[in-house]
Amino acid sequence: MPTAAMLVIGDEILSGRTQDVNVQVLAQALGAKGIGLAEVRMVPDVEAEIVGAVDALRSKYDHVFTSGGIGPTHDDITADCIAKAFGVGIDVREDARAILATNYADPENDLNEARLRMARIPDGAALIDNPISKAPGFTLGNVHVMAGVPKIFAVMVESVVATLEGGAPLISEEHRVESGEGDLAAPLAQIVARHPEVSIGSYPRIVDGRFQVNVVARAVDRAKLDAAMADIRTL
Amino acid sequence: MPTAAMLVIGDEILSGRTQDVNVQVLAQALGAKGIGLAEVRMVPDVEAEIVGAVDALRSKYDHVFTSGGIGPTHDDITADCIAKAFGVGIDVREDARAILATNYADPENDLNEARLRMARIPDGAALIDNPISKAPGFTLGNVHVMAGVPKIFAVMVESVVATLEGGAPLISEEHRVESGEGDLAAPLAQIVARHPEVSIGSYPRIVDGRFQVNVVARAVDRAKLDAAMADIRTL
């Protein structure tokens, strides 16, 4: 199965001001395509941190998706960091400028210096369409650079993931047990051992003060998943 | 300001099945204490990934907080991974076993082998109280190991963070501008340059189809924050 990592760029998540919602959107889109999200990192708007994380992740995984930092303000440094990570140049690109210009009645005046920052694209990158606010993302090598605003992130993910070569999608089912994990750990371990090609996880929750466990099984093969679920439903 | 990182351990976040909520809880608790959350990583239930991330983070930051993987089931491998990262032994510890036993009317029978896994504590660690389900977390060196269940995570964070030496807490204020970022980027850059000791971020949102920007300023010093906010409110 192809692998992917996500890099969330931005002080607003790390400060606790904003609740991230993009990780789950990407994870679900990749899962449906048969690509496994294997790691997520969240780093601040600091060049060395972004460059270091991009380099670590792009050499380890088939794909890297970044969110955030591609707007027009002083703290939007993602595009420059990607160029630095790849050792390529970056400048305003005419096709990106033309796309931005369609946003304005009077682009000559409205497409100011700050907005033109959003047309700065690292050399060799392919643009990612942004039907909501026009400012494009881009793909360079195996790194897909997308906006952090959740609505824009979601449409960019959809268009990028559609172009990728996926694996066999994991199918999953779950079974809820109304008890603590301690009671089902031993029988569950036996079930796990009997179904080596099924990935089985046990996720405790507290609902209305009572412990519940969701046992989730994932597999590529429907028959193997069904066999494991038959065992899991005996818990 | 002291720094911290968080390591979220668990396939359920990376698969997109579960929305993480623990990052924000930790970020806010650390912020109030004057400790900066500088990085987050999310990794699957895989020993090499957990050990590698713990080692990378504990050498780089003052504190590391982990969530997840300390229950009784086969996929709960965090305690063993921490022992491995530190190169210390791990076994059932009597004080942890005694705490778990208080959960059961008949501990001799109910405290089964699976539940006893939750009393396996790396050598040299200090226990973290869990008033909700008893199974303790632990602190080893600068690594604080906590449950992933949000309610338990939150009480463990509260008790651990209270014991840490903090810095001067950042105070923050925000100002909302009803426009796109492109219009305020240039004046905002001038404001940022005028207030070097204030950290200023610009966070675009789409609300009912219209662009908004939250400009957030953070500083240790109230007077400096007020001066920056006076400028920001002119935007």
Side-chain angles (χ1 to χ4, degrees):
Chain A
M1 176 183 272
T3 58
M6 177 170 178
L7 180 62
V8 178
I9 297 164
D11 297 343
E12 72 272 33
I13 306 289
L14 291 172
S15 72
R17 215 186 68 84
T18 299
Q19 166 70 53
D20 166 76
V21 294
N22 291 336
V23 170
Q24 189 172 31
V25 166
L26 178 64
Q28 292 177 347
L30 290 174
K33 186 76 179 187
I35 299 172
L37 180 61
E39 180 171 349
V40 175
R41 296 194 190 181
M42 301 177 171
V43 298
D45 302 318
V46 173
E47 183 185 276
E49 298 301 323
I50 298 170
V51 173
V54 166
D55 270 338
L57 297 174
R58 76 189 177 99
S59 60
K60 186 169 180 184
Y61 302 103
D62 295 319
H63 295 282
V64 178
F65 295 80
T66 77
S67 70
I70 63 167
T73 57
H74 65 285
D75 53 352
D76 291 307
I77 62 173
T78 299
D80 287 270
C81 292
I82 299 293
K84 188 155 190 169
F86 279 84
V88 301
I90 179 170
D91 206 344
V92 171
R93 212 166 85 178
E94 278 313 311
D95 56 349
R97 181 210 293 260
I99 290 169
L100 284 175
T102 64
N103 253 355
Y104 305 102
D106 179 11
E108 199 69 24
N109 285 310
D110 291 337
L111 202 48
N112 58 28
E113 193 180 337
R115 292 200 170 101
L116 271 180
R117 274 175 60 82
M118 296 188 286
R120 296 180 78 246
I121 305 292
D123 295 347
L127 301 185
I128 298 172
D129 187 36
N130 171 354
I132 294 175
S133 63
K134 298 292 184 256
F138 60 84
T139 292
L140 182 58
N142 62 342
V143 180
H144 312 283
V145 175
M146 300 182 293
V149 174
K151 284 177 189 166
I152 305 174
F153 180 82
V155 296
M156 286 184 168
V157 163
E158 192 177 1
S159 74
V160 170
V161 171
T163 67
L164 302 181
E165 186 176 338
L170 280 179
I171 43 179
S172 74
E173 292 205 21
E174 69 179 75
H175 173 63
R176 180 175 301 167
V177 184
E178 300 284 341
S179 76
E181 281 192 300
D183 291 314
L184 56 83
L188 183 59
Q190 292 175 6
I191 293 171
V192 169
R194 274 204 299 278
H195 300 278
E197 290 177 67
V198 180
S199 166
I200 299 174
S202 161
Y203 306 117
R205 304 196 308 164
I206 303 173
V207 178
D208 297 333
R210 299 172 67 93
F211 287 91
Q212 283 182 353
V213 183
N214 282 333
V215 180
V216 179
R218 296 185 192 88
V220 167
D221 185 293
R222 164 57 67 183
K224 286 175 179 151
L225 180 65
D226 288 344
M229 285 307 297
D231 279 358
I232 288 168
R233 291 202 184 88
T234 66
L235 291 170
Chain B
M1 174 183 274
T3 58
M6 177 168 179
L7 180 62
V8 177
I9 296 164
D11 296 344
E12 73 273 32
I13 306 290
L14 291 172
S15 72
R17 216 187 66 85
T18 300
Q19 165 71 52
D20 167 75
V21 295
N22 290 337
V23 170
Q24 190 172 30
V25 166
L26 179 64
Q28 292 178 346
L30 290 174
K33 186 76 179 188
I35 299 172
L37 180 60
E39 182 172 348
V40 174
R41 296 194 192 182
M42 301 178 173
V43 297
D45 301 319
V46 173
E47 183 185 276
E49 298 301 323
I50 299 171
V51 172
V54 166
D55 270 339
L57 297 173
R58 75 188 177 100
S59 61
K60 186 168 180 184
Y61 302 103
D62 296 319
H63 295 283
V64 178
F65 295 80
T66 78
S67 69
I70 64 167
T73 57
H74 64 284
D75 53 351
D76 291 307
I77 62 172
T78 299
D80 287 87
C81 292
I82 300 293
K84 187 153 191 169
F86 280 84
V88 301
I90 179 170
D91 206 345
V92 171
R93 212 166 85 176
E94 278 313 310
D95 55 349
R97 182 210 293 261
I99 290 168
L100 284 175
T102 64
N103 253 356
Y104 305 103
D106 179 11
E108 199 69 21
N109 285 311
D110 291 337
L111 202 48
N112 59 27
E113 194 180 335
R115 291 200 170 100
L116 271 180
R117 274 176 60 82
M118 296 189 286
R120 298 180 77 246
I121 305 291
D123 295 347
L127 301 186
I128 299 172
D129 187 35
N130 171 355
I132 295 175
S133 62
K134 297 293 184 255
F138 59 85
T139 292
L140 182 58
N142 62 342
V143 180
H144 312 283
V145 175
M146 302 183 292
V149 175
K151 284 177 189 167
I152 305 175
F153 180 81
V155 296
M156 286 184 168
V157 163
E158 193 177 2
S159 74
V160 170
V161 171
T163 68
L164 302 180
E165 185 175 340
L170 279 180
I171 43 179
S172 75
E173 292 206 20
E174 69 179 74
H175 173 62
R176 180 176 302 166
V177 184
E178 301 283 341
S179 76
E181 280 191 300
D183 291 316
L184 56 81
L188 183 59
Q190 292 176 7
I191 293 171
V192 169
R194 274 204 299 278
H195 300 278
E197 290 177 66
V198 180
S199 167
I200 299 174
S202 160
Y203 306 118
R205 305 197 306 163
I206 303 173
V207 177
D208 299 331
R210 298 173 67 94
F211 287 91
Q212 283 182 353
V213 183
N214 282 332
V215 180
V216 179
R218 298 184 190 88
V220 167
D221 185 290
R222 163 57 66 183
K224 286 176 178 149
L225 181 64
D226 288 346
M229 285 307 297
D231 279 358
I232 288 168
R233 290 201 184 88
T234 65
L235 290 170

